Amino acid sequence: MLAGVTLAASAGLVLARGNRKAQIAAAAVIGTCNRLSEIRTPYGRDGADQMTAVITQYRALTALIPDQRLSDDLFLRAVNFQAGLSYAVSGISKAFGSSWVQGDALLEVLQTEAYGRGPAAAILRRYPRLCRALTVGTVVWETAFPLVYLLPRRQASYALTAVKGFHVGVATAMELPRFVWGFFGSHGAVGYVLDTRGAPRTFEKAVLGIAGGAVLTSALIAREKRRVAEQRRLGPKGAARLRHGDGEVEYRVDRPEEGTPSRAVIVLECGLGQSFESWEWVAASLAEQHTVIRYHRSGYGLTTSRAADGELLAAVLDEVGAEGRIVVATHSIGSLSAASYLGEEPFAGRVDRLIVVDGTDPVLLDEDRTDRRRLGRFLQAQVYTLVAALTGIYEWAPNAVERQAGYTPDVQYSHVQFVFSPRNVVNSVREYRRMRTEGAVERLAAVDSVLVVASDEYADQQAVLAEKLGAKFEVVRGSAHRSIIGYREHAEQVEGAIRRFMDAY
């Protein structure tokens, strides 16, 4: 029934050319049917359906403006803005999808039953290089679509014609004719805006001005919060710093209360891009009976020294007077950091117990770094984090860091600002690319006693690593990679596992 009403209203829209009231009424009916279809259909709508809905709903809404000239101008400019935004956002989102950047997306789509059955699709499948070029080209032109507004009118028309050709190609190859009508309908509005460029006050200028001001304000607020977090780190209650080599090392030492002897020295190695506050729950509990040392590796936080991880840690241990045997606990890629100095002086013979919390398997890391798609996913995730950091989006939108961490307010503030520091994001990419894996398993397995504590998220993967290391194995049920030490209830289980492990020897 909805399809029939939509078809009738569409026919009325075409036949009512020149009759503004009839066209608005038909658009309102089509828009209403689209909304009802969205409620009825649980699978979502494609881009063409969404663009059609936007055009018809904008037409109905702007009809409420009594001034016809103002109503039509606002309608056309709103549709134009939506068209430009749709193309650009589509391109940017594809740029964060590894299969698009790697050139595989179109081939994958053409392999499906739904979109790969037509004769044009069969022809394209025979030319994979052409498919890859078209895939990457789609990302480029969609992202660059806003540049059409800077072109002379004739060249802009040629560009829009090329875009029309793209939609015809999509309709032919994937048998999606809706994309032709859905997006062709917006190109008239783009042409209207191109013909009226230079107007002193326009909808686009107002929206871009508001959006630009909001982004700038957000970026400045985030920058100030990061500055405050750094000042806290420099304050009397912040972390200690030690001059070493060509820079400084940022570290923190937590000890038992005065009069309570320290049973052991425990070093906590951080994960990729994580602050040493990420260990806060575990460190607070362990420090009741042990001397707990945390530090930031080169490039993170206030650590400016470019020395190797082992050199930095050795300097901290000397500074705090930590002697005798050492227990090392690592999270994520911190296991490979530990592997870089285990067995080396001055750690040879001093580390007799090792706890690996959701550690990085060096074999898997090598595979990730050499597989173009996996590496692409990692780099795209880091670019996304960097964009969020620079624009301050993370302050207003939910993010994985806050979802998987629940520290006290001050610690949470410091940790979140640390993770979203542009410098730390860039440094995490450098560390990911340069972290050594040769002989890491052998070095870790050479420690007398090893325990692997896995998150529920990576339990199977960690079980394999535990077997390689000849380690004892425990799982923190319900935990994820970050929350295993970020949520108090999970961190307490990690601390309990460490305590039992140490008491057993």
Side-chain angles (χ1 to χ4, degrees), residues 150-475:
L150 303 179
L151 296 174
R153 186 63 177 90
R154 177 175 294 183
Q155 283 70 30
S157 297
Y158 295 154
L160 287 176
T161 300
V163 173
K164 289 181 173 66
F166 167 80
H167 289 302
V168 171
V170 169
T172 304
M174 300 181 188
E175 299 182 339
L176 288 172
R178 294 193 309 276
F179 272 75
V180 172
W181 311 120
F183 285 92
F184 274 25
S186 68
H187 288 184
V190 176
Y192 171 79
V193 169
L194 289 171
D195 290 333
T196 57
R197 284 181 292 189
R201 294 180 181 178
T202 64
F203 174 80
E204 297 83 11
K205 291 177 181 178
V207 171
L208 289 174
I210 293 171
V215 171
L216 179 60
T217 301
S218 175
L220 292 175
I221 290 172
R223 181 181 177 184
E224 179 62 18
K225 286 189 173 183
R226 291 194 296 268
R227 189 191 68 79
V228 170
E230 185 171 287
Q231 289 299 315
R232 287 183 178 182
R233 307 183 79 87
L234 292 168
K237 294 184 179 180
R241 287 180 295 166
L242 166 68
R243 187 73 190 177
H244 178 74
D246 59 347
E248 294 184 325
V249 188
E250 182 184 15
Y251 69 95
R252 177 169 175 173
V253 181
D254 296 289
R255 293 185 172 91
E257 293 183 359
E258 188 175 349
T260 303
S262 175
R263 296 180 57 190
V265 175
I266 302 177
V267 172
L268 302 179
E269 283 280 358
C270 302
L272 185 72
Q274 301 296 293
S275 70
F276 56 45
E277 283 89 354
S278 64
W279 280 106
E280 190 69 16
W281 294 126
V282 176
S285 296
L286 290 177
E288 293 175 2
Q289 296 179 308
H290 308 277
T291 298
V292 180
I293 296 175
R294 292 173 278 171
Y295 76 107
H296 282 142
R297 298 189 291 271
S298 178
Y300 287 120
L302 302 177
T303 297
T304 56
S305 173
R306 290 175 290 181
D309 301 344
E311 291 182 39
L312 298 177
L313 178 56
V316 172
L317 292 172
D318 287 343
E319 178 70 12
V320 302
E323 300 177 349
R325 306 189 78 77
I326 301 169
V327 177
V328 176
T330 72
H331 177 234
S332 190
I333 208 169
S335 60
L336 298 184
S337 171
S340 71
Y341 55 77
L342 291 175
E344 301 274 338
E345 291 296 338
F347 301 96
R350 293 185 66 185
V351 180
D352 61 352
R353 277 164 288 184
L354 172 68
I355 300 95
V356 176
V357 180
D358 239 23
T360 298
D361 188 324
V363 174
L364 295 181
L365 179 59
D366 281 338
E367 291 176 357
D368 288 347
R369 293 191 297 196
T370 54
D371 184 278
R372 61 190 179 94
R373 181 168 294 187
R374 294 183 194 176
L375 178 60
R377 280 197 293 266
F378 169 78
L379 293 176
Q380 287 159 352
Q382 297 306 306
V383 170
Y384 175 82
T385 303
L386 183 61
V387 171
L390 293 173
T391 59
I393 294 173
Y394 68 94
E395 291 288 347
W396 322 109
N399 60 75
V401 178
E402 291 183 296
R403 285 198 301 268
Q404 294 191 23
Y407 304 106
T408 57
D410 282 350
V411 174
Q412 183 86 341
Y413 180 92
S414 180
H415 177 62
V416 170
Q417 299 306 323
F418 182 99
V419 174
F420 283 101
S421 164
R423 175 173 175 263
N424 291 329
V425 174
V426 173
N427 192 63
S428 67
V429 176
R430 178 194 65 82
E431 185 175 53
Y432 178 88
R433 298 294 298 270
R434 296 181 183 180
M435 185 65 77
R436 295 181 61 184
T437 58
E438 301 86 351
V441 169
E442 292 75 16
R443 286 172 176 259
L444 294 173
V447 178
D448 292 342
S449 302
V450 184
L451 169 68
V452 172
V453 182
S455 69
D456 213 358
E457 182 180 12
Y458 292 125
D460 293 340
Q461 182 189 103
Q462 292 298 294
V464 174
L465 179 60
E467 185 176 354
K468 292 179 182 179
L469 301 180
K472 294 181 180 297
F473 181 66
E474 293 193 28
V475 179

Side-chain angles (χ1 to χ4, degrees), residues 41 44 46 62-66 79 96 99 118 168 209 216 236 252 277 310-311 439 464-465 473 485 492 500:
T41 305
D46 60 30
T62 55
L64 299 174
I65 300 174
V79 171
F96 284 101
S99 62
V168 171
L216 179 60
R252 177 169 175 173
E277 283 89 354
E311 291 182 39
V464 174
L465 179 60
F473 181 66
I485 58 174
E492 287 175 346
R500 291 189 301 274

Side-chain angles (χ1 to χ4, degrees), residues 87 90-92 94-95 99-106 129-145 162-163 166:
Y87 285 126
S90 176
I92 292 171
K94 287 182 176 69
S99 62
W100 282 95
V101 175
Q102 303 295 343
D104 299 326
L106 181 56
R129 289 187 178 179
L130 175 61
C131 282
R132 288 193 174 90
L134 291 173
T135 302
V136 176
T138 299
V139 177
V140 173
W141 83 254
E142 285 187 338
T143 304
F145 183 84
V163 173
F166 167 80

